[in-house]
Amino acid sequence: MTEVSKLKVGVLGGTGPQGKGLALRWAAAGLSVVLGSRAAERAESAAAELREQAGVEHITGADNAGCAAEADVVLVAVPWDGHRELLESLREPLAGKIVIDCVNPLGFDKQGPFALPVEEGSAAQQAERVLPDSRVTAAFHHVSAVSLADLSITDLAMDVLVLGDDREATDVVRALADTVPGFRGVYGGRLRNAHQVEALTANLIAINRRYKAHAGLRITDI
């Protein structure tokens, strides 16, 4: 598996539950992490909280542009409503870098969560179109932010589907998944297949609500 221990991982949306939880786990695994937010002060405040929680020093905060520029690999964990606008503003600092999109375009009504239509096909494909010079992948859609934030859970016991058209990039992202105890990075196909992976999050939310759980995915026979 690809060596990732020396990479610096940037997390756009690093003050939200999903980004913050993954940042915590990567930092606990020994990776250097930089949180991004619209306000650098907010990012640094979140980083200070994670430094204390994980007992490490290698988590810092920056504004989104600084995060994108400083990191080697960048996770996009921002709300769907601001997805396109943010990535358009960061096209230059993200050029040439592996970008991991974990955004789920979902809506909610009285019947529960449902997948939203996306002109490009999926959030990941939108990222690919907006960032033509980046190496866009899709992953980490189905991991529980609650479980990520609880370091007493030492085996998260789930698979992480990784999609993309760049074999080396998907190998790096799979290796990043493998640094989290209990995660296994599994290649899940080309980026054009990201829509159903993003949409499946609505099913998992419904499962978790019904069973009061933090369910994930397991792929059998591999």
Side-chain angles (χ1 to χ4, degrees), residues 38-85:
R38 283 177 291 183
E41 297 81 6
R42 187 179 177 203
E44 179 51 39
S45 176
E49 180 185 330
L50 295 186
R51 286 195 296 268
E52 182 177 355
Q53 185 178 357
V56 299
E57 294 298 322
H58 44 266
I59 311 176
T60 58
D63 62 17
N64 285 321
C67 172
E70 188 178 337
D72 301 305
V73 178
V74 178
L75 176 79
V76 182
V78 299
W80 168 239
D81 287 349
H83 183 261
R84 181 195 295 273
E85 182 181 2

Side-chain angles (χ1 to χ4, degrees), residues 138 161-166 170 186-194 197:
L161 292 179
V162 180
L163 295 88
D165 300 325
D166 182 320
T170 59
V186 176
Y187 174 70
R190 298 278 187 166
L191 207 64
R192 67 182 182 183
N193 293 318
V197 173

